[in-house]
Amino acid sequence: MAEPEFSASGVEIERWPRSLTKAGRVLIQDGRLALLTSYGRVIDSAPLRAVQAAKPWFRGDDSTVATVNGTRYRLTMGRDGGRPEGRVLAGRFLETVRRAGAAKT
């Protein structure tokens, strides 16, 4: 199994209007995105080229919105202890998804 392209833990994963987990994990590995609970259960998963991600205008720098299998999720990075690197993780996540999108065109 290859090294993950992106991995973040302590992620709040929300599907409006409720929070699914406050300490989840986002994993991009082998061309797939997986949203996991804190216990490792898969919330949703899809090939990375089918995922859309953007920066929401209504949230802080540590948040992104990802559409996976037609479902929109709000991902807030660095929630675990309010770490300041949440903004950096959100930027890396967006860049990884965008690179996959550029590769499919």
Side-chain angles (χ1 to χ4, degrees):
M1 191 174 266
E3 190 72 22
E5 297 169 48
F6 177 84
S7 179
S9 58
V11 178
E12 182 174 6
I13 302 173
E14 298 172 277
R15 182 175 60 210
W16 291 278
R18 67 185 192 111
S19 175
L20 300 174
T21 182
K22 294 198 181 275
R25 185 168 180 214
V26 176
L27 181 65
I28 297 175
Q29 186 172 11
D30 297 329
R32 288 191 69 82
L33 168 73
L35 304 177
L36 308 166
T37 67
S38 56
Y39 297 108
R41 185 180 62 85
V42 176
I43 296 170
D44 210 340
S45 175
L48 193 55
R49 66 182 180 281
V51 174
Q52 295 176 341
K55 185 97 179 99
W57 59 270
F58 53 88
R59 293 290 293 212
D61 289 340
D62 60 349
S63 291
T64 63
V65 175
T67 304
V68 182
N69 295 322
T71 304
R72 288 175 46 137
Y73 296 94
R74 183 176 4 189
L75 310 174
T76 305
M77 311 286 178
R79 277 284 191 216
D80 193 17
R83 299 178 309 216
E85 66 263 12
R87 183 181 60 122
V88 174
L89 288 170
R92 283 186 46 226
F93 172 75
L94 289 172
E95 181 60 32
T96 303
V97 173
R98 286 185 184 133
R99 272 195 317 244
K104 71 178 176 185
T105 59

